[in-house]
Amino acid sequence: MTTATSLPVASPVPVTGGVLAFLRRLVREKPLGAAGGALLLFFLFCGVFADFIAPHGFNDIAPAERLKPPGAAHWFGTDNLGRDLLSRCIYGAQLSVIIGCAAALLATVISAVLGIVSGYFGGKIDLFMQRFVDAWMSFPDLVVLIVVVSVLGPGMPQIIVTLGVLLGIAGSRIVRSAVISVRENTYIHAAQSLGASSPRILWRYVLPNVMPPIIVLFTTRVGTAILAESGLSFLGLGVPPPAPTWGSMLSGSGRTFMFEGPWLALAPGLCLTAVVYATNVFGDALRDLLDPRMRGTR
């Protein structure tokens, strides 16, 4: 007799050859997306191992070296206090990229939970949750961020949780749309008729089949979270100084001494642009490879 455990489960990545085959396909078909993924991993590596990579401490002050242009001694130059800008950009990656990835991960988990529950059960549950999402999305993101961080105070945990909740609720609609299309498949109805519980169906059959949009949602949310954190830091509501983030570097010495030392704004600005662009092209490449609806467009 056939049981619910024998029903097919889709894999979130191509099963032919596993992960290595998928990576080869990514490099072959989407070289720009593969380069973006590699660049994102590079920034994440620099952030995690900043203590070993950075040539100087992020707050090592050398008044005699203030406002030195880029050169052999200081590749990115120095700021108005003589601090090495390359070291501060590396430590900025430790904060900006890690905050972006953590907030994007939390947002993706929230989007997955809300979207799967809302899309699978439907009815009054779906109606109530979607009206809540509508009301939540009616508030401007930046205003909500400023209000929450102003009340809770600046700091890494507050920013991660605030960005995660803010982006997670809004992104639940993407997951919900995928779940609605999956729940009408024959194997879902077969599992229900065989008496499989709802948690088992959601875990074994619904979640694996909606993993591609969830993965893409995570990659796109990384860039959004990094930009939002940089905006908060630019307004003085991010991680408090002297800890460097790219946004605070732009709003502090980068803006004040922009004409005397344009590299003060150029270095963190280029880092911010590079990592956001990398996440966007990497997310687009994953969408094209993982979403069956995109296969006919390549």
Side-chain angles (χ1 to χ4, degrees):
M1 180 177 179
T2 304
T3 62
T5 57
S6 62
L7 296 173
V9 179
S11 174
V13 296
V15 296
T16 57
V19 177
L20 292 179
F22 178 72
L23 292 178
R24 287 194 295 267
R25 182 183 169 203
L26 175 65
V27 174
R28 183 177 65 254
E29 299 183 14
K30 300 291 179 180
L32 184 59
L39 185 59
L40 178 60
L41 288 177
F42 171 75
F43 276 104
L44 187 60
F45 176 84
C46 290
V48 172
F49 298 100
D51 294 332
F52 304 99
I53 298 175
H56 304 278
F58 65 85
N59 204 35
D60 290 349
I61 298 175
E65 300 291 323
R66 63 185 304 271
L67 293 178
K68 292 287 185 178
H74 302 281
W75 289 4
F76 285 6
T78 61
D79 64 3
N80 58 303
L81 298 177
R83 296 174 295 190
D84 182 65
L85 210 58
L86 173 61
S87 301
R88 290 181 61 79
C89 285
I90 293 175
Y91 278 100
Q94 188 178 57
L95 295 175
S96 297
V97 177
I98 292 178
I99 287 176
C101 290
L105 180 61
L106 177 60
T108 305
V109 172
I110 294 175
S111 297
V113 172
L114 295 180
I116 290 175
V117 172
S118 178
Y120 179 77
F121 291 103
K124 293 182 179 180
I125 296 178
D126 184 41
L127 180 63
F128 173 77
M129 295 183 70
Q130 291 311 304
R131 297 296 75 79
F132 171 74
V133 173
D134 289 338
W136 181 269
M137 294 179 64
S138 65
F139 296 99
D141 294 348
L142 184 59
V143 174
V144 175
L145 280 172
I146 293 175
V147 170
V148 173
V149 175
S150 299
V151 173
L152 299 179
M156 183 181 296
Q158 296 92 313
I159 294 175
I160 291 175
V161 173
T162 303
L163 287 175
V165 174
L166 183 66
L167 298 175
I169 294 177
S172 62
R173 284 190 166 182
I174 299 175
V175 182
R176 172 182 174 268
S177 301
V179 172
I180 290 176
S181 63
V182 167
R183 74 179 182 185
E184 301 302 328
N185 288 328
T186 305
Y187 57 85
I188 299 294
H189 295 301
Q192 293 171 342
S193 64
L194 291 171
S197 63
S198 295
R200 180 180 178 82
I201 293 175
L202 293 177
W203 180 257
R204 286 294 302 273
Y205 309 120
V206 175
L207 180 60
N209 284 281
V210 297
M211 279 304 294
I214 290 177
I215 293 173
V216 175
L217 184 64
F218 169 75
T219 58
T220 55
R221 284 293 184 263
V222 171
T224 304
I226 291 175
L227 280 178
E229 184 277 328
S230 298
L232 285 176
S233 297
F234 188 84
L235 295 174
L237 297 174
V239 180
T245 64
W246 294 334
S248 62
M249 293 170 67
L250 286 171
S251 66
S253 58
R255 182 176 58 178
T256 306
F257 298 92
M258 183 181 300
F259 297 103
E260 298 179 56
W263 56 87
L264 296 179
L266 187 62
L270 287 178
C271 291
L272 183 62
T273 302
V275 72
V276 173
Y277 179 75
T279 56
N280 287 338
V281 296
F282 182 55
D284 289 341
L286 288 181
R287 179 200 61 194
D288 294 344
L289 295 179
L290 295 175
D291 193 343
R293 294 171 297 180
M294 302 297 296
R295 291 173 184 171
T297 62
R298 297 199 306 271

